[in-house]
């Protein structure tokens, strides 16, 4: 049993270079990996190279529609083993950042 057994990873740029090597290692350690890339042909080659526990998702992470499709794919295919959520934007800093002590420490630095 690997260190990442039962885990899900999303790796951007996963069809080449260090990201591809990371994806292969994650799978070797037991994770299911989603690799994201802009070129379908390279994604298909990477999926074939990795061989198992991998899904290629074509997309550009700078495109919000592509990110939505990525999250939908992860939720649909791995719903039992992961949950995807987006952190809500904070209108104000957390309470610890507003305390008198942290404010005075920043002012003296």
């Amino acid at each position: 049993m690997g260190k990442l057994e039962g885990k899900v990873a999303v790796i951007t740029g996963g069809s080449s270079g260090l990201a591809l090597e990371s994806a292969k290692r994650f799978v070797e350690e037991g994770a299911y990996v989603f690799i994201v890339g802009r070129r379908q042909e390279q994604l298909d080659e990477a999926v074939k190279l990795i061989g198992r526990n991998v899904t290629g998702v074509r997309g550009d992470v700078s495109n919000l529609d592509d990110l939505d499709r990525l999250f939908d794919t992860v939720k649909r295919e791995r719903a039992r083993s992961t949950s995807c959520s987006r952190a809500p934007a904070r209108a104000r800093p957390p309470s610890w950042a507003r305390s008198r002590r942290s404010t005075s420490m920043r002012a003296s630095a």
Side-chain angles (χ1 to χ4, degrees), residues 19-93:
L20 176 58
E21 294 303 315
S22 296
K24 291 191 314 191
R25 181 64 189 262
F26 279 33
V27 169
E28 289 171 8
E29 290 291 336
Y32 191 94
V33 176
F34 290 86
I35 55 174
V36 184
R38 292 179 287 173
R39 295 178 188 90
Q40 188 64 50
E41 186 176 309
Q42 285 183 324
L43 277 172
D44 293 342
E45 289 175 18
V47 167
K48 186 176 179 180
L49 180 67
I50 295 170
R52 62 182 173 86
N53 291 342
V54 62
T55 297
V57 180
R58 185 174 179 274
D60 183 344
V61 295
S62 67
N63 181 313
L64 294 179
D65 290 334
D66 287 355
L67 285 176
D68 286 339
R69 192 168 39 79
L70 168 63
F71 284 115
D72 289 343
T73 301
V74 172
K75 282 193 281 189
R76 183 179 60 251
E77 293 191 17
R78 305 305 294 181
R80 291 184 180 176
S81 60
T82 189
S83 63
C84 293
S85 63
R86 295 185 188 155
R90 286 186 168 261
R92 354 181 308 177

Side-chain angles (χ1 to χ4, degrees), residues 95-109:
S95 60
W96 60 264
R98 294 189 312 266
S99 72
R100 184 183 311 248
R101 180 176 180 178
S102 63
T103 303
S104 64
M105 289 174 66
R106 273 188 266 135
S108 65

